Amino acid sequence: MIIYLEGNIGSGKSTLIEFLQQYIEDKNLDADVILEPVDEWMETQDSNETNILQHYYQDPKKFGFAFQINALLSRVKKVNDKIKASKKRVHFIERSIFTDKNVFLECNYQNGNINHMEYVIYHQWFEWILQNFNHHPDGIVYLNTKPEICEQRINTRNRNGEEGIPLEYLTTLDKFHHIWLEKESYIPVIYLDTNVNFYENQDKKIEEIEKVIGLAEQVYNNKIKFC
């Protein structure tokens, strides 16, 4: 069973996932968490040791398609490898190939960073992936965070490759997330309030994590029991 954890850049996914992993371990749940392949992107470097993420943010028109197709394929590989090796029945996965297509690809295409031929090529490979691998979600959790707060968190964490992400870009990504998720009428979607700082509000943290766990149980009408 697959539950995707979705959210804007800086929405708090890493923080929520950290607490979710600890919750799963403490409760001995039949679940695991699969992280986004950011480390793999950092290791994809040119001869000057500039990684693909840095290239993309520095020159999105030149590296838009290269980054998107690399993100898609690296995500598929990591998810497939992790699920194949896992003995757990429930997988909480940080972002999905559907986010790649419906949010980041669409944003790049509409901004002119990806041309129409590249757009067509991406969709051809995306359809092939859906036909040959199981990436369909059983549920989606969206970390609903204001773009202004995302910007503050990005600046605070100062992650390599994310320097200078403009608020306008975060606002556009937020819009595309909502457009996509509002169309997912056949998949259970829940929205978490992640504008709060979970390090400062422990009760709110537990409340939101239990919503995530509750969604997983709801999908199978409580037929799956974690204990």
Side-chain angles (χ1 to χ4, degrees):
M1 187 171 98
I2 292 175
I3 304 292
Y4 286 119
L5 307 173
E6 305 285 0
N8 206 340
I9 304 168
S11 61
K13 292 186 306 301
S14 298
T15 300
L16 179 74
I17 287 169
E18 175 188 339
F19 292 131
L20 178 60
Q21 287 177 313
Q22 187 62 52
Y23 187 95
I24 289 171
E25 182 178 334
D26 291 344
K27 300 289 185 179
N28 193 28
L29 305 184
D30 188 13
D32 58 19
V33 177
I34 300 175
L35 302 179
E36 192 171 24
V38 176
D39 289 343
E40 287 86 337
W41 302 342
M42 296 297 187
E43 293 169 0
T44 304
Q45 301 177 343
D46 63 14
S47 58
N48 295 319
E49 298 185 351
T50 303
N51 65 61
I52 185 65
L53 189 61
Q54 290 173 309
H55 273 304
Y56 170 66
Y57 283 129
Q58 292 169 6
D59 193 346
K61 290 191 180 297
K62 182 176 180 179
F63 290 95
F65 181 70
F67 177 75
Q68 287 303 149
I69 203 70
N70 180 72
L72 174 67
L73 297 178
S74 61
R75 198 181 301 279
V76 170
K77 183 180 187 304
K78 182 166 186 177
V79 169
N80 288 348
D81 289 348
K82 291 291 186 179
I83 289 180
K84 186 177 180 179
S86 176
K87 296 181 180 179
K88 304 296 184 178
R89 288 186 294 173
V90 179
H91 310 286
F92 294 102
I93 301 176
E94 182 184 15
R95 284 217 182 104
S96 67
I97 62 172
F98 303 97
T99 326
D100 283 341
K101 181 176 79 73
N102 293 301
V103 178
F104 292 97
L105 178 74
E106 286 299 326
C107 183
N108 274 306
Y109 182 56
Q110 293 198 21
N111 287 339
N113 299 333
I114 290 176
N115 63 45
H116 185 68
M117 179 54 70
E118 293 168 333
Y119 188 76
V120 169
I121 291 170
Y122 184 100
H123 276 269
Q124 288 177 338
W125 281 110
F126 187 89
E127 291 304 318
W128 180 85
I129 287 168
L130 288 186
Q131 293 169 11
N132 290 274
F133 302 95
N134 180 23
H135 282 260
H136 291 282
D138 295 292
I140 296 174
V141 176
Y142 182 64
L143 280 66
N144 201 16
T145 311
K146 295 177 181 178
E148 294 80 6
I149 293 179
C150 291
E151 181 184 41
Q152 294 172 9
R153 291 174 178 170
I154 290 169
N155 293 335
T156 298
R157 74 187 182 192
N158 196 27
R159 180 182 291 170
N160 187 26
E162 291 184 345
E163 303 88 349
I165 296 178
L167 177 59
E168 181 182 6
Y169 180 59
L170 298 172
T171 302
T172 301
L173 293 179
D174 180 70
K175 179 187 74 173
F176 277 111
H177 272 101
H178 284 277
I179 291 173
W180 160 46
L181 292 174
E182 286 170 5
K183 295 178 181 178
E184 294 291 352
S185 57
Y186 298 102
I187 303 169
V189 179
I190 63 170
Y191 294 78
L192 303 186
D193 177 9
T194 44
N195 291 298
V196 299
N197 186 334
F198 288 149
Y199 286 104
E200 297 176 356
N201 192 330
Q202 295 291 312
D203 291 339
K204 183 67 172 175
K205 176 190 73 175
I206 296 299
E207 177 185 338
E208 299 305 299
I209 288 176
E210 288 183 345
K211 288 179 183 178
V212 176
I213 299 299
L215 173 64
E217 294 180 337
Q218 172 195 337
V219 168
Y220 282 98
N221 296 318
N222 293 323
K223 290 181 181 179
I224 285 185
K225 296 297 183 182
F226 289 110
C227 300

XYZ file of all heavy atoms in Angstrom, residues 196-210:
133
model
N 2.486 25.414 11.200
C 3.003 25.455 12.568
C 4.385 24.812 12.633
O 4.762 24.019 11.773
C 2.051 24.723 13.544
C 0.688 25.382 13.545
C 1.927 23.256 13.172
N 5.126 25.170 13.659
C 6.433 24.574 13.908
C 6.246 23.393 14.853
O 5.947 23.565 16.028
C 7.379 25.609 14.534
C 8.790 25.075 14.687
O 9.019 23.872 14.798
N 9.755 25.985 14.681
N 6.427 22.155 14.340
C 6.177 20.966 15.142
C 7.172 20.817 16.293
O 6.893 20.146 17.276
C 6.212 19.712 14.277
C 5.023 19.581 13.359
C 5.146 18.960 12.131
C 3.793 20.075 13.721
C 4.055 18.842 11.281
C 2.684 19.968 12.891
C 2.820 19.340 11.660
N 8.339 21.429 16.156
C 9.306 21.380 17.260
C 8.801 22.182 18.457
O 9.161 21.903 19.598
C 10.659 21.917 16.813
C 11.419 20.982 15.913
C 11.484 21.218 14.540
C 12.071 19.858 16.422
C 12.179 20.353 13.704
C 12.761 18.994 15.593
C 12.816 19.246 14.236
O 13.504 18.390 13.401
N 7.968 23.180 18.189
C 7.458 24.041 19.253
C 6.080 23.612 19.738
O 5.665 23.993 20.828
C 7.399 25.495 18.754
C 8.771 26.075 18.402
C 8.665 27.475 17.826
O 7.521 27.943 17.637
O 9.711 28.090 17.561
N 5.370 22.847 18.917
C 4.005 22.447 19.266
C 3.874 20.936 19.155
O 3.494 20.399 18.122
C 3.002 23.153 18.345
C 1.563 23.019 18.826
O 1.201 22.031 19.458
N 0.736 24.016 18.519
N 4.213 20.245 20.229
C 4.237 18.787 20.226
C 2.837 18.187 20.068
O 2.663 17.165 19.388
C 4.872 18.270 21.517
C 6.348 18.638 21.663
C 7.226 17.909 20.652
O 7.129 16.715 20.481
N 8.086 18.660 19.972
N 1.833 18.800 20.667
C 0.473 18.280 20.554
C -0.007 18.330 19.110
O -0.643 17.388 18.611
C -0.480 19.076 21.447
C -0.222 18.847 22.925
O 0.392 17.805 23.256
O -0.624 19.701 23.737
N 0.287 19.424 18.432
C -0.100 19.566 17.034
C 0.637 18.544 16.182
O 0.074 17.974 15.240
C 0.218 20.982 16.552
C -0.210 21.260 15.121
C -1.716 21.251 14.961
C -2.134 21.707 13.586
N -3.596 21.606 13.359
N 1.875 18.284 16.505
C 2.671 17.295 15.774
C 2.021 15.917 15.836
O 1.812 15.270 14.805
C 4.088 17.221 16.363
C 4.970 16.144 15.744
C 6.255 15.975 16.536
C 6.003 15.287 17.859
N 7.250 15.006 18.592
N 1.682 15.477 17.028
C 1.052 14.162 17.200
C -0.301 14.124 16.495
O -0.657 13.130 15.843
C 0.884 13.830 18.691
C 2.260 13.711 19.359
C 0.099 12.535 18.861
C 3.132 12.627 18.788
N -1.051 15.200 16.589
C -2.369 15.264 15.954
C -2.256 15.073 14.437
O -3.022 14.304 13.840
C -3.009 16.625 16.250
C -4.356 16.839 15.578
C -4.899 18.246 15.805
O -4.480 18.898 16.787
O -5.728 18.685 14.986
N -1.291 15.737 13.812
C -1.146 15.641 12.354
C -0.601 14.272 11.938
O -1.021 13.706 10.921
C -0.244 16.760 11.844
C -0.768 18.172 12.109
C -2.170 18.387 11.576
O -2.371 18.273 10.364
O -3.081 18.651 12.389
N 0.329 13.719 12.722
C 0.873 12.398 12.398
C -0.217 11.335 12.505
O -0.297 10.420 11.669
C 2.066 12.065 13.318
C 3.268 12.920 12.931
C 2.423 10.573 13.227
C 4.463 12.760 13.825
N -1.075 11.453 13.487
C -2.152 10.474 13.648
C -3.172 10.581 12.517
O -3.839 9.609 12.170
C -2.805 10.635 15.020
C -1.875 10.147 16.136
C -2.497 10.219 17.517
O -3.542 10.918 17.660
O -1.957 9.604 18.446
